[in-house]
Amino acid sequence: MIWGLCLLCLAGGLGAAHAGPLRKTGKTEDNTVQQQDVNVLMFGVIQFSESLKYAFETTEAKIAKISQTLMNHEGTLQKLGEETEQAAEEEKQVKEMIQLLQAQMAKQQAETKMTKDWLAGMEQEEVALRTKVKKLETYVDTSSSIKELQERAEEHSYVLKSLQHLTQFHKENIETLNEQLSKLQEMSENTT
């Protein structure tokens, strides 16, 4: 395309040089001047065409470089979009896990409170039974029916031992629940 433009300019320049009126002075000087003008015009056209060619090639290279940069940026943007979606999904999963852990912790706390209340009631009953046993022992000292009182004392002793075992079992259960609750709280704090 550039060479076609150059040839067109050259042909126009030559046509203008020859289309002008010829002087019949007979001087070779005029022909030399005209030839020099044509040479200058030709040199200018060649330089102009080289400049156009250089501008075209550099512009084409710049456009290719810009296109490559745009493609790289598009790839980076796509990758960032995918990473953002993945991070949002992971955040959603973490929130769901935290909600689940909080629900489990609330349930464990409720169970622990119920067990503590029950144990407190059992301890009160144990105190009441001990008081009854002491009264019975006092009564045994003053009573004439020792055998009957001994049987009652053995029954109460058995009941007390059973209550002590039951109380110990519930205390261990509360300790286990407290350890589980502590672990759940640590897991919840670590996930946030």
Side-chain angles (χ1 to χ4, degrees):
M1 178 177 145
I2 292 174
W3 288 111
L5 183 63
C6 291
L7 289 175
L8 182 65
C9 288
L10 179 62
L14 288 176
H18 287 294
L22 292 176
R23 295 184 192 159
K24 303 234 175 182
T25 58
K27 294 184 179 178
T28 57
E29 225 174 81
D30 286 341
N31 285 338
T32 305
V33 171
Q34 284 181 356
Q35 185 63 37
Q36 286 177 350
D37 288 343
V38 169
N39 287 344
V40 168
L41 283 175
M42 287 290 286
F43 182 71
V45 167
I46 290 172
Q47 282 187 332
F48 179 70
S49 67
E50 288 295 323
S51 296
L52 282 177
K53 179 182 175 188
Y54 176 76
F56 177 77
E57 289 173 352
T58 55
T59 304
E60 190 175 42
K62 286 178 184 176
I63 289 172
K65 188 174 181 181
I66 289 170
S67 296
Q68 184 63 37
T69 304
L70 284 175
M71 285 178 23
N72 290 342
H73 286 308
E74 286 175 4
T76 303
L77 285 174
Q78 184 177 2
K79 207 182 258 188
L80 283 173
E82 291 170 359
E83 288 175 3
T84 303
E85 288 177 9
Q86 185 178 2
E89 183 63 30
E90 289 174 1
E91 181 181 1
K92 180 182 173 188
Q93 290 175 357
V94 166
K95 285 182 180 178
E96 289 173 358
M97 179 68 92
I98 288 172
Q99 289 175 350
L100 179 65
L101 287 173
Q102 288 174 341
Q104 288 178 350
M105 283 172 46
K107 183 180 176 184
Q108 288 288 337
Q109 287 174 342
E111 289 177 359
T112 301
K113 186 181 182 315
M114 286 175 48
T115 306
K116 281 182 180 178
D117 292 344
W118 185 78
L119 275 176
M122 293 301 287
E123 287 174 353
Q124 288 176 353
E125 286 181 24
E126 183 180 354
V127 169
L129 282 173
R130 285 180 192 255
T131 305
K132 285 182 183 178
V133 168
K134 284 183 182 179
K135 285 181 183 178
L136 283 173
E137 286 174 352
T138 305
Y139 179 73
V140 167
D141 289 340
T142 58
S143 176
S144 59
S145 171
I146 294 176
K147 186 173 184 181
E148 184 181 311
L149 291 174
Q150 283 178 339
E151 288 174 3
R152 278 187 163 179
E154 287 175 4
E155 286 175 10
H156 285 290
S157 176
Y158 175 75
V159 169
L160 279 174
K161 286 181 182 176
S162 297
L163 283 173
Q164 285 176 337
H165 289 298
L166 190 57
T167 302
Q168 183 63 32
F169 170 75
H170 284 294
K171 282 183 180 179
E172 291 173 1
N173 191 17
I174 284 176
E175 290 173 4
T176 303
L177 287 173
N178 282 335
E179 288 176 7
Q180 289 176 352
L181 186 59
S182 296
K183 288 179 182 176
L184 283 172
Q185 287 173 340
E186 288 177 8
M187 286 174 60
S188 175
E189 291 172 0
N190 288 339
T191 56
T192 58

